[in-house]
Amino acid sequence: MEPLEPMRPVSVQAPIQTSTPRWKSAAVLLGTMCVFAYALLSTRTGPGPVAAGVAVGIVGVGLYAMSVVRTLRENSGKRIPLWGDAPVSPREMDLLAGAGMPLLTAGVLTAIRASGLTWPYLFFGLFATVVVLALILPVLIHNSRVKRSPAA
């Protein structure tokens, strides 16, 4: 039997979580708090505030969708737990998700309050259902695809 060749050195990168700069976190926190405070305290009605609420909601959906897509791409081939952190997460705080969901909520709240609906609870219930599905459905679809893939 011949002797084994020496193994090549393999470098494995340690998982590095980059810290979000404090000024970015502070700016996002302050901005979302201001938008949410406006949504809660505004008494304006009419098409202008409704359109502003819809626009803020669309921005929130876009930011949150970008966060979900990035998380799913980083964890391709790995199952993501429903309640917990993803296995691969190179950042301590995801600013896209941290700004997206509050902006979505503030936009919907602004649009509902500005429209002067008499039964807003129906829309709040529908909104809560959509948000729960937006949080859970992408992870369920990703995990089912990982389960069906031949490499897993």
Side-chain angles (χ1 to χ4, degrees), residues 43-108:
T43 57
R44 295 181 57 200
T45 59
V50 171
V54 169
V56 168
I58 289 172
V59 169
V61 166
L63 291 174
Y64 187 74
M66 288 177 5
S67 168
V68 169
V69 167
R70 181 172 60 186
T71 301
L72 296 179
R73 188 176 346 112
E74 289 170 353
N75 291 285
S76 63
K78 296 180 183 78
R79 292 179 61 80
I80 299 174
L82 269 179
W83 309 115
D85 294 333
V88 178
S89 179
R91 66 197 74 62
E92 291 176 12
M93 178 187 166
D94 191 355
L95 284 180
L96 292 174
M101 197 52 77
L103 287 178
L104 171 61
T105 307
V108 169

Side-chain angles (χ1 to χ4, degrees), residues 3 17 20 42 50 54 66 75 102 111 126 136 151:
Q17 285 195 335
T20 305
S42 175
V50 171
V54 169
M66 288 177 5
N75 291 285
L126 179 64
I136 294 174

Side-chain angles (χ1 to χ4, degrees), residues 18-39:
T18 57
S19 179
T20 305
R22 291 189 189 273
W23 68 269
K24 284 185 182 179
S25 298
V28 167
L29 180 66
L30 183 65
T32 55
M33 283 175 48
C34 288
V35 170
F36 211 87
Y38 175 79

